[in-house]
Each structure stands twice: as C-alpha cells, then as structure tokens.
Amino acid sequence: MKALVLFYSYGGNTRSVAEMIAKRIGADIAEIKTVKPYEGTYNEVVAQGKREVESNFKPAIMPVEADFDKYDTVVFGTPVWWYTYAPAVSSFFDSYSLKGKRVFAFATNGGWLGKTLDNIKHVCKDSDVEKGINIKFNGNKLVTPISDVEKWADDIIK
Ligand SMILES: Cc1cc2nc3c(=O)[nH]c(=O)nc-3n(C[C@H](O)[C@H](O)[C@H](O)COP(=O)(O)O)c2cc1C
C-alpha cells in the first residue's frame, strides 16, 4: 500500500516540507484547505488564530481529495498555531478518521511546538501514531537540519 502525505499550510512552510517528503518517499499528497482563506496581515491572522484556538473554532474545510482507503500510512503535517495544530486540522478530524492507519506527524513552527504532537496523538487515538518530528523555521527559512527531516522520512518506508 502507498503512503499519503496530508497537510494543512497557511504560509507555505508546511507545504514545502510536505512536498519534499512526498517526493522523497514516493507518496501521494493531499491538502486540507479552508473554504474561506485567511485574509489580512500576518499579525491579523496570528490574532485571529489565537481567538480560534482559544474558542476551539473549526473553520469549514473543502472536501479532501484523497481516497483514504488506499493508504495504510499517513504522514500528517500542520503548522503550530498557538501551541497546537491549526484550527483547519481540528475541522479535518471532525469529519475524517485515520483509524487503523500508521500516522507520522510533523509540525512546523517558530520554536514553540507546545502540545501539537501530543494533541495529534490524542485526536488519532484509534491510529498507530508513530514518532513525530518538530520542524523549526525562522520565517520561511528552515532551521531544523534538512538531514534530520530526511532521516525521519526515510524511516517511514523502512
Ligand atoms: C496563527 C498563528 C499562530 C502561530 N503560533 C505559533 C506557536 O504557538 N508556536 C510557534 O512556534 N510558531 C507559531 N506560529 C508560526 C508558525 O507555526 C510557523 O511559521 C509555521 O511554520 C507556519 O507554517 P505554514 O507556513 O505552513 O502555515 C504561528 C503562526 C500563526 C499564523
């Protein structure tokens, strides 16, 4: 069976890592997208994100274009929003289940991972959640050594 790389990305960092991993391990790729794009300046989105995380708001998302039955392994990427996964990811787990699959999560962030990986483990309680990875960025520049990400990705298909 094939692996699926599934990600949400607001600013592009998580997308770039998702695309790199999918290419490296020969996985398919699918994106979680909000129906309504986040608008305004970066700081406005940071403030909106805080309100959404604090109120557990779940934005409407587009149907995910993937046939989940085809995959036994999902590599799941999210940015960290206020110390957890992004609200669009909450929305995803309200409508979809990765039950019975191996899940490898990665979380891109600016240095404050918070409970993101633990919370993914919690929301995927019926999945086999394997070791995740914290991927740091400074703005749009990768800080975590690329070799760490590559090694983590290679272990998925070993
Ligand atoms: C709403 C919002 C909240 C954020 N909260 C955090 C945080 O709690 N910890 C952190 O290290 N970075 C935080 N960041 C930075 C992002 O996690 C980081 O830039 C990430 O790589 C963005 O991924 P993306 O470009 O795929 O959206 C936040 C960014 C936004 C927009």
Side-chain angles (χ1 to χ4, degrees), residues 7-65:
F7 71 97
Y8 169 72
S9 181
Y10 158 67
N13 291 350
T14 314
R15 173 180 292 106
S16 69
V17 175
E19 287 173 348
M20 185 278 270
I21 293 172
K23 196 166 169 213
R24 189 169 177 93
I25 69 171
D28 291 340
I29 191 162
E31 181 172 3
I32 297 166
K33 292 182 211 153
T34 54
V35 171
K36 193 170 166 283
Y38 287 92
E39 281 168 357
T41 65
Y42 183 77
N43 284 340
E44 281 164 356
V45 174
V46 168
Q48 182 179 349
K50 185 166 197 274
R51 291 192 297 274
E52 292 189 359
V53 168
E54 283 176 356
S55 63
N56 198 21
F57 175 75
K58 292 170 183 169
I61 57 169
M62 311 282 278
V64 177
E65 291 175 13

Side-chain angles (χ1 to χ4, degrees), residues 82-96:
W82 294 98
Y83 315 107
T84 188
Y85 47 73
V89 169
S90 287
S91 307
F92 171 81
F93 283 112
D94 258 17
S95 317
Y96 296 85

Side-chain angles (χ1 to χ4, degrees), residues 140-156:
N140 296 119
K141 194 176 164 293
L142 184 64
V143 173
T144 297
I146 184 93
S147 56
D148 289 6
V149 182
E150 289 171 346
K151 184 177 179 313
W152 178 80
D154 291 346
D155 283 345
I156 296 171

